[in-house]
Amino acid sequence: LALGLAQAPEKIVAGGGAAFNAEPVAPFLDALVLGDGEEAMVALLTAVERAKEGGLSKGELLESLTEIPGLYVPSFFKDQGPGKPLKPLREGYEIVEKAVVDDLNRAPFPKGQVIPFGAIHDRLTMEIARGCTRGCRFCQAGMIYRPVRERSLDGLDNILTDGLAQTGYEETSMLSLSTGDFSGLDSLFTRSFDKCAAEQISISLPSLRVGSLSAPIMERISSIRRTGATIAPEAGSQRLRDVINKGVDEAGLIEHVRLLFENGW
């Protein structure tokens, strides 16, 4: 994201999961947003607007960004070489903690989404939760997006109703790092099913772990229109599955496949 000021060169800002390993690209960036962006981006853009109005220099703008949770300004730290920690150069700005939105219901979800032409993910995607408790050993997202936070059923119902009305999609997807761990999945699916069935809107549940999708939900999904079903063995042997802390066995995989076939997949 390039944020330009009339009085100074452009500001280059990055974010997302890759920003947590910032140092390889830090010399090319003015700032990085670490963590959730919903509140941090609003604060960042507000700071840029004030800088433009006040005629602040680039340095003064970067100074103001250090007051925003989750904003990492690389120029205020010195690289001391391989294996050594960064040296803070500004008093009071020694540690950058990630930005966290405590309540996802306060974070507006885009309903009037841009409709792409010829996209693979041709559906209304709803983020039902953020974070994961599983602790798979290789998973970056499961660590950096902790703690687990869930959207309310009423909030998701509004997102579904308004999102379908504003986009015209014929499929919706309930998305999270581990959708099957959503505490109200059965209730959410029951509330969404009647609405979707009346309009022949198919429902997709991606990112499901083996054994986390009940037979009644499978049966109801297949009664509208069968979406894709992905089964992840996770590793080539049970030993490796145990090593990476997956908690999945071959018997569970076979049972999941059996239920899919029984419901017409």
Side-chain angles (χ1 to χ4, degrees):
L1 176 62
L3 304 173
L5 296 185
Q7 296 84 2
E10 287 185 341
K11 311 302 174 293
I12 310 301
V13 183
F20 282 80
N21 185 30
E23 295 318 301
V25 293
F28 307 96
L29 297 167
D30 293 304
L32 296 96
V33 179
L34 307 182
D36 298 330
E38 286 88 350
E39 295 173 351
M41 281 302 298
V42 174
L44 171 61
L45 293 172
T46 300
V48 171
E49 183 178 33
R50 289 173 179 167
K52 291 181 68 175
E53 293 173 350
L56 300 183
S57 67
K58 177 178 177 178
E60 290 171 322
L61 171 59
L62 295 180
E63 285 275 351
S64 69
L65 296 185
T66 63
E67 300 174 4
I68 302 174
L71 261 291
Y72 168 43
V73 181
S75 59
F76 294 145
F77 293 84
K78 181 180 179 181
D79 185 357
Q80 300 188 93
K84 297 180 181 179
L86 297 174
K87 179 181 179 181
L89 302 178
R90 185 177 184 274
E91 188 176 353
Y93 186 63
E94 292 85 15
I95 296 176
V96 180
E97 296 187 359
K98 70 178 182 180
V100 176
V101 176
D102 294 331
D103 183 2
L104 284 187
N105 296 300
R106 296 201 326 263
F109 192 83
K111 301 172 184 176
Q113 302 175 12
V114 176
I115 310 299
F117 177 76
I120 296 174
H121 296 284
D122 188 22
R123 53 183 172 262
L124 174 70
T125 300
M126 301 190 300
E127 182 195 37
I128 65 175
R130 189 174 300 175
C132 183
T133 61
R134 295 282 182 160
C136 299
R137 301 195 190 284
F138 61 85
C139 184
Q140 182 203 39
M143 297 300 295
I144 67 176
Y145 289 113
R146 291 183 177 183
V148 174
R149 291 146 289 161
E150 297 183 346
R151 294 187 187 272
S152 69
L153 295 179
D154 289 339
L156 289 169
D157 191 54
N158 290 332
I159 292 172
L160 178 64
T161 301
D162 295 344
L164 290 175
Q166 294 184 43
T167 61
Y169 278 124
E170 296 180 348
E171 181 179 338
T172 184
S173 172
M174 300 175 184
L175 186 65
S176 74
L177 287 175
S178 183
T179 302
D181 291 333
F182 184 77
S183 62
L185 182 61
D186 287 344
S187 297
L188 172 61
F189 186 82
T190 299
R191 294 177 62 159
S192 303
F193 178 81
D194 292 337
K195 187 188 304 292
C196 291
E199 301 180 30
Q200 282 296 293
I201 305 294
S202 58
I203 301 175
S204 173
L205 295 173
S207 300
L208 286 170
R209 297 175 186 276
V210 169
S212 63
L213 186 60
S214 65
I217 289 182
M218 264 192 214
E219 183 178 351
R220 299 190 82 181
I221 288 177
S222 66
S223 70
I224 304 177
R225 187 167 68 244
R226 293 180 194 89
T227 54
T230 302
I231 305 295
E234 308 293 358
S237 70
Q238 190 57 45
R239 183 189 70 80
L240 285 176
R241 282 190 282 267
D242 293 340
V243 166
I244 62 176
N245 199 32
K246 271 297 179 182
V248 173
D249 58 27
E250 189 168 331
L253 286 165
I254 299 301
E255 175 66 13
H256 200 120
V257 173
R258 185 185 66 79
L259 285 173
L260 284 169
F261 275 109
E262 285 184 355
N263 285 281
W265 270 272

